[in-house]
Amino acid sequence: MKKLTVFLHFFLISVLSINCQQLQWILLSDGSSGDTPIARRDAALGFDSTFLILYGGRDQSGMPLQDTYAFNVLQGLWEPLNFPNAPPSRYGMASASSIGAGLYVFGGFGMQGSSQFYNPYTAYGTSGLASYKQNPAGADKQTPRTVNKRNTGAINKQNQGVSSKQNFNQMNPMGYNNYNDNDDRIDENYYALSDAWFLNYVTKSWQQTQTSQYGRGFGSAAATPYSSGIPRVIYSMGKSHDWMYSTVETTGQVTSGFNQAGSGPAAIIMYDLSSYNPSYPHARYGHSTTLLTDNHLLLYGGCLSGYGKGGPCPSKDTWLLHVDRGHWERLGECPPTKTGAAMVTLPSYSMCASIGQGIMGGWSGMNMGNEPPVAVLWGGREFNPSSIRSYLSPPDEVAIFSLTQKEWLLKSARPSTTDGSFPMQREGAAVVAGCFQGSPGMFVYGGRSVTNNRRLLSDLWFLQASAQDALSSPRRRGCIYPFSYYHLHGIFQFFAYGVIFPIGYIVGRHVKTLPVKRSLHMGLQLFGVALAICGFAFGVHSVRAPSWLHFKHAHAIIGIITFILTILQFLAGLVGFIFLNKENQKNPNYNKSDHNVSPTQNTDDKWGGEGVWRIGHRILGLLILALGLVNISLGVFLAVLPLPVWIIWYIYFGFLVLLLIGMEIVALLSRNGSRKSKSSTRPGKHKNSLSDLIQKEYPNMSLMIILSSFINIYYLNT
């Protein structure tokens, strides 16, 4: 009889869900009540039946937090929790919650050492009690409260006098102001942690699980959306103090060595690899991930710049990982660039109904509504200082991803019914998928405002949406394809080192009979230098990471060396032009005939002894050309450009290198032929000068420099 009642309940839910609602924002707490946790960002949030579990994060001064709070979604009350063996304080940890299983936390930045909170914790019984703790003090006096009306003034009052540029971090031994919107400097004060913890929703206790070989923070974790046992958890990438990782690890189901009661190694899906490969996503941090199914991990955005790696920050590339095969699939781009955005896989109405009936275990945690997997993406830091024009998301915009269609859609959500407002745009909010009043959706707590003086927030919102609701909501706008100084840097350097300099080199090196050879060569090289300077300036402007974090990868190192050599070559060319003109005017050639001797104009550039400067100038130019071509090739990968772009570039690159090699071979054969003809007409032994030796070996050196470009690219890609 009970099963029949449950099935009838699910049937009614499915019938009612046919009349789909739009995406709807609901304000659960405006953060003005006395029981609200202090404002924070980069915290972890879990959903346990009728409770939200908030752990850690960092406060306005940047200090890591260890406290844990529970929010009763039935009564709208916050209350602190004390665990006997809680994880150490931290922020920026990768976290994921699985309905019916628990909250998983990995890594982050914090202080080494075990927890200092050893207060006993009493587990609660069945779900639906008035408190997450059993018989808390004053529980009998608690009365249900309605949803608070949003009061922006209360939030501002709470943060009054708190400035992101006027706080001193006591953990900083140097005593300098480390919270001046430079998150990289803040992270230097804390340890990159490698431990992992699991809050079991059944035992109501924290347990330490696998550790990683790399301690890192601001990675991303995703868990099996619905599980009544051990969930599959995948945590990816992140950064330490001086490095950024592309490592992807997994624990839980279908992995070996998972032990909730003790530590052990995690299974590796993807090792830390080079960023010069288009077949998998680059290393990053601040990205968003979610498990659409047990075998499909969705990854979006993040910051790819600095920490020994390179790329846009924020980014907007989307990847789909087929977990069982370890294969990454590049998907189309659509939402604006984001870091620290909230993304979850939506539950179904039937799943929320099963939670209300308390039969999660009996249904093995399956998504009983059989709805297609759909993810929602909201918030994050979208503004990029290197952008020429920003395309910030409107307040009502929510990005929707459908696994069936494998595409993004930008949808419109309805505001809160209490005051008609939307949540403030933010980054680093704590987020989790869950259910409220029988409806599926996404909970969002706190974070740092990206519009209101970057203050930390403490309000709690719920985005009500099922997969059907999300897909049927009205579209907000089309996909966004921003253009930034990062792109200008690539365009200018491509034309400088990929077009103008090669043409100028060919004119100066291989053209023999053109009357305007010198003028054309100088004009092309001057134009190329101007483009290179502009491209370098755009590149410096587009890099937001400090120099000590940026100049650690091949593209940045080769780029600065190439630019310095370009300027030196330009100055050497000007000096040589002045001295060559004077030398040619002082030493005209004479043509002897049977009747007279007449001076003729010297057509060879000789300075410093039989053309030594000229050959050195050409060798340096060829070196700059080779380095420029190599660096453009590396930049194509770092820019996360679509596959057709780098295919076209490599076709052009291969054609250009083959052309230069062919012309050098022709020059080598021609020079050897002319040398043999001259030596046959000269009696006796001729002693080679330094100029003759350089001219003899120059073609060989040219071929070696050009061929080394291929070798360098192959080495860097592998």
Side-chain angles (χ1 to χ4, degrees), residues 249-326:
E249 299 169 275
T250 179
T251 65
Q253 296 176 359
V254 202
T255 63
S256 60
F258 184 81
N259 182 5
Q260 289 183 334
S263 61
I268 302 294
I269 296 179
M270 176 178 170
Y271 289 92
D272 188 37
L273 300 174
S274 168
S275 293
Y276 305 108
N277 194 316
S279 61
Y280 49 78
H282 298 177
R284 67 192 67 204
Y285 66 93
H287 54 292
S288 305
T289 60
T290 186
L291 269 172
L292 298 166
T293 69
D294 278 351
N295 192 43
H296 294 89
L297 176 76
L298 181 66
L299 181 149
Y300 179 83
C303 182
L304 285 64
S305 181
Y307 298 93
K309 305 293 176 69
C313 181
S315 179
K316 63 190 301 289
D317 53 330
T318 302
W319 296 81
L320 185 67
L321 172 64
H322 301 266
V323 180
D324 292 342
R325 294 187 289 135

Side-chain angles (χ1 to χ4, degrees), residues 517-581:
K517 167 187 172 181
R518 180 183 296 181
S519 300
L520 180 60
H521 171 74
M522 292 184 59
L524 288 170
Q525 301 308 77
L526 285 173
F527 182 51
V529 169
L531 292 179
I533 294 175
C534 293
F536 182 80
F538 291 138
V540 171
H541 181 76
S542 63
V543 173
R544 313 314 304 175
S547 58
W548 59 276
L549 287 175
H550 178 69
F551 291 102
K552 287 189 173 184
H553 57 92
H555 180 75
I557 296 173
I558 295 176
I560 191 67
I561 293 175
T562 305
F563 181 74
I564 293 174
L565 293 178
T566 300
I567 299 301
L568 293 178
Q569 175 79 334
F570 169 69
L571 296 177
L574 291 180
V575 173
F577 172 72
I578 296 174
F579 279 90
L580 284 174
N581 281 340

Side-chain angles (χ1 to χ4, degrees), residues 312-314 316 336-337 382-392 481-488 538 541-544:
C313 181
K316 63 190 301 289
T337 56
E382 300 178 339
F383 175 72
N384 186 350
S386 66
S387 296
I388 297 176
R389 179 182 177 185
S390 298
Y391 299 86
L392 303 180
Y481 302 98
F483 194 78
S484 67
Y485 292 102
Y486 192 88
H487 297 96
L488 280 181
F538 291 138
H541 181 76
S542 63
V543 173
R544 313 314 304 175

